[in-house]
Amino acid sequence: MRIIVADCSAEYSGRLTASLPPAKRVLLIKADNSLLIFSELGSYKPLNWMAAPCTIREIVPDAAAHDADAVNVADDENAADDAEPIAGKDATELTPIKLLRVSADKSSDILEVSLYRVYSDETYDLGEDPGLVKDGVEDHLQRCLAQQITRIGEGAKLVRREYPTAIGPVDIMATDASGMHVAIEIKRHGGIDGVEQLTRYCELLNRDPLLAPVRGIFAAQTITPQARVLAEDRGFECLILDYDDMRGVEDDSLRLF
């Protein structure tokens, strides 16, 4: 990964046109040649970027190659103190010392970054990344509830996880204390789409005389008010899943008693 801190401007052309006026920014160039431009403030998203697959070229303009005023601050530590602020200037008034031209491989999109002063230009080998390990995703909630199926009611028994149907698997199929089949749809954050999904499953399952009647439970860590109203209107039970409690993690919040 290459990280450049520089005074720069940028022009994006293709499916849309966008520009960044001159200012000090951070450029991040990944091993796949994708380039992202960040500012110090704002959201976590880059100001502009070109995603892979793409091709990057470094171009040294003829004028800049012979311009005695072109400054590479990375080669001269004292130049940073003497450098004139570049923010607020028009890009046409400045002479770039280098251009980074990134072209999309599957379209005509081009991102061109003009560098006027380079404060730092470093390359790092990050090696292979093991990836993000998420905790509390729907699969984890499903496993925990399957192991603790009596959370839906005393006497409940697990039939199976990922119960197959013609329109996709039901997260959990169980039976309650009376022997009635229960279809459980699990979400991290329960919305109306999840209720609609459970509705389709229950309508299909209730056509099977070996299963009918089948009731539904909509289970999630959080359920929106609209989803709760819709679920209860369709005869479904709503179940809030406390993932920490299901894992046996103690609440470390302060208590008076």
Side-chain angles (χ1 to χ4, degrees), residues 6-14 16-28 35-39 46-50 86 89-92 94 96 98-102 110-117:
D7 289 331
C8 65
S9 63
E11 295 288 337
Y12 194 107
S13 60
L16 57 83
T17 300
S19 62
L20 290 172
K24 184 183 291 186
R25 300 186 178 94
V26 174
L27 310 179
L28 190 152
L35 186 150
L36 303 90
I37 307 172
F38 293 91
S39 63
L47 298 170
N48 210 331
W49 67 92
M50 177 69 78
I86 201 168
K89 288 191 174 182
D90 192 302
T92 58
L94 302 166
K98 184 181 295 185
L99 300 176
L100 299 178
R101 183 170 294 157
V102 192
I110 294 176
L111 173 61
E112 186 170 277
V113 183
S114 299
L115 306 181
Y116 307 109
R117 297 191 183 96

Side-chain angles (χ1 to χ4, degrees), residues 85-133:
I86 201 168
K89 288 191 174 182
D90 192 302
T92 58
E93 302 173 3
L94 302 166
T95 302
I97 60 173
K98 184 181 295 185
L99 300 176
L100 299 178
R101 183 170 294 157
V102 192
S103 306
D105 291 350
K106 296 183 178 181
S107 70
S108 60
D109 289 18
I110 294 176
L111 173 61
E112 186 170 277
V113 183
S114 299
L115 306 181
Y116 307 109
R117 297 191 183 96
V118 177
Y119 298 89
S120 176
D121 187 346
E122 302 288 341
T123 301
Y124 303 91
D125 183 0
L126 302 185
E128 292 188 11
D129 191 285
L132 179 65
V133 178

